[in-house]
Amino acid sequence: FYAWVCSTMWGLDMADPRVAIVAMQAMNASVRNAVFAPAFFGTAPILLLTAYVMMREAQRSAALWFGLAGIVVALLAVALTAAFNIPMNEALARVAVPQDIEAARIIWADYSPQWQVWNQIRTVTSGIAVLFVGIGIMRLGTA
């Protein structure tokens, strides 16, 4: 999410909006693949499974932090993506890119800023989850 905040979307915003729309449509279509899916959708379950294993191994403090990280990823990063970014991406996918640059500029201006707000929220929540994992690692071995 962070890379999209500070590079991808800034670059697309600077491009011809017709190019930005086509590029975003292509990126959104390509993200549905066997490499991306496990990394994105598997993170929360793996964190929660790790918390469960740690709890069984009497690593309660570490388990708490890994569990919180899993909940943050599941409820904020993944759920926000499903609730906001994916519907916006699907709507953009149905757009026929206009030849008129001003019409394209309006479409992109309606899409990009709002998409970026939700992406920035996902970025912050993912950062919080990483912080929680770090705290969990530091808590390993403590009673």
Side-chain angles (χ1 to χ4, degrees), residues 15-64:
D16 179 318
R18 296 167 296 193
V19 172
I21 294 167
V22 170
M24 193 67 164
Q25 288 172 331
M27 287 184 276
N28 288 332
S30 72
V31 78
R32 295 179 181 109
N33 63 64
V35 175
F36 178 79
F40 184 75
F41 294 106
T43 301
I46 292 298
L47 287 168
L48 294 171
L49 178 61
T50 301
Y52 172 76
V53 170
M54 288 180 181
M55 187 68 88
R56 291 186 49 92
E57 295 296 318
Q59 294 287 322
R60 285 180 171 59
S61 182
L64 169 70

Side-chain angles (χ1 to χ4, degrees), residues 119-141:
N119 188 63
Q120 290 168 5
I121 294 168
R122 298 183 307 172
T123 301
V124 169
T125 60
S126 296
I128 291 167
V130 169
L131 174 66
F132 288 175
V133 168
I135 294 170
I137 291 169
M138 291 187 328
R139 302 299 302 161
L140 283 171

Side-chain angles (χ1 to χ4, degrees), residues 40-41 72-87 122:
F40 184 75
F41 294 106
V72 166
V73 169
L75 295 181
L76 296 175
V78 175
L80 287 176
T81 300
F84 298 102
N85 295 88
I86 290 174
R122 298 183 307 172

Side-chain angles (χ1 to χ4, degrees), residues 13 17 20-21 88 92 102-116:
D13 285 347
I21 294 167
M88 291 180 71
L92 188 67
E102 290 308 315
R105 197 177 317 280
I106 291 168
I107 293 167
W108 188 250
D110 287 344
Y111 173 84
S112 180
Q114 183 182 359
W115 191 94
Q116 289 187 61

